[in-house]
Amino acid sequence: DTGVSQNPRHKITKRGQNVTFRCDPISEHNRLYWYRQTLGQGPEFLTYFQNEAQLEKSRLLSDRFSAERPKGSFSTLEIQRTEQGDSAMYLCASSLEAGSFFGQGTRLTVV
Amino acid sequence: GENVEQHPSTLSVQEGDSAVIKCTYSDSASNYFPWYKQELGKGPQLIIDIRSNVGEKKDQRIAVTLNKTAKHFSLHITETQPEDSAVYFCAASGKTSYDKVIFGPGTSLSVIP
């Protein structure tokens, strides 16, 4: 499978715990995006990388959130001190030219 | 920033009929407009896109139209099939197609056999 891969697919965590998600983009894609999607809504932009550089961060990305793409390949999204409002689907997408290709997402449930 | 609106929020059609979803955007600098299909439990799938220098684009049963003056764009699905049932998102992107994509709220399409 040469698509965008996200792990884990599902994560249940207790409030206050830290969680980390991983995204492996399509190998030749230099741009990588993180989005958050809540039930019944469209994906909301969080941040994006060109190679290893983080070029833009949304206001939605509070100081509890951090994303990295250390070698310009895979990326991680960490949420510290999770809150119930963080429960959502976290989507990763990658692109090279036109069009972003999305992974299956990581569904986070904070209990 | 960009804001994308989408109508209707839900749409039911009989198999074989056409379905039309309409979107508007606010930022006149946006020049790339992709459409995504999302099935339950899956990530959005790019199904067709259009750039601002093109008024219409067609791919088999799917067509998109763009009116830059009015800042409207639409998705047309002809000869609908049950497997077309999904949530459809329109989106807009500014400056280049590499920029972040701003999504509309989605349209849940049901195709009734």
Side-chain angles (χ1 to χ4, degrees):
Chain A
D1 186 352
T2 57
V4 178
S5 177
Q6 291 189 247
N7 289 287
R9 291 292 311 278
H10 304 274
K11 179 70 177 178
I12 300 174
T13 191
K14 291 184 178 180
R15 189 174 52 187
Q17 296 295 305
N18 298 345
V19 294
T20 300
F21 311 140
R22 176 177 170 126
C23 171
D24 288 273
I26 295 171
S27 59
E28 64 269 25
H29 286 187
N30 61 347
R31 294 207 174 209
L32 185 147
Y33 307 78
W34 285 98
Y35 290 82
R36 181 174 70 187
Q37 185 177 27
T38 53
L39 200 61
Q41 301 296 318
E44 296 174 292
F45 169 79
L46 292 178
T47 188
Y48 87 93
F49 293 83
Q50 182 172 355
N51 299 314
E52 65 276 9
Q54 189 173 19
L55 297 185
E56 186 171 349
K57 293 193 292 186
S58 163
R59 290 190 301 273
L60 294 174
L61 213 65
S62 76
D63 55 7
R64 296 184 297 105
F65 288 71
S66 63
E68 294 183 342
R69 194 182 183 197
K71 296 183 179 179
S73 56
F74 73 92
S75 176
T76 58
L77 177 68
E78 181 183 16
I79 309 174
Q80 296 182 325
R81 305 181 303 280
T82 51
E83 302 173 355
Q84 286 189 319
D86 296 332
S87 295
M89 175 79 84
Y90 290 85
L91 293 162
C92 176
S94 70
S95 71
L96 180 61
E97 295 179 351
S100 293
F101 296 86
F102 281 80
Q104 301 281 49
T106 294
R107 181 165 294 284
L108 173 67
T109 302
V110 182
V111 297
Chain B
E2 176 65 275
N3 181 51
V4 178
E5 297 185 351
Q6 183 172 349
H7 300 279
S9 57
T10 59
L11 179 60
S12 290
V13 298
Q14 291 289 330
E15 182 177 358
D17 287 350
S18 296
V20 179
I21 301 171
K22 298 183 178 182
C23 292
T24 61
Y25 62 98
S26 61
D27 189 349
S28 56
S30 291
N31 60 7
Y32 175 68
F33 306 92
W35 286 85
Y36 288 86
K37 175 184 180 182
Q38 187 173 29
E39 297 174 331
L40 198 62
K42 296 185 178 181
Q45 176 191 3
L46 178 67
I47 57 172
I48 195 167
D49 56 16
I50 190 168
R51 297 179 188 271
S52 60
N53 58 348
V54 174
E56 184 173 357
K57 182 177 179 180
K58 189 173 181 180
D59 182 4
Q60 299 182 0
R61 297 186 296 108
I62 295 174
V64 291
T65 59
L66 171 65
N67 182 331
K68 266 196 75 73
T69 303
K71 292 190 274 189
H72 291 174
F73 57 118
S74 300
L75 177 72
H76 304 250
I77 305 173
T78 59
E79 301 172 14
T80 53
Q81 301 167 4
E83 52 265 37
D84 294 330
S85 297
V87 179
Y88 290 81
F89 294 99
C90 62
S93 180
K95 297 189 180 73
T96 73
S97 60
Y98 311 153
D99 280 353
K100 64 181 183 287
V101 173
I102 304 300
F103 284 81
T107 296
S108 179
L109 173 64
S110 297
V111 179
I112 304 165

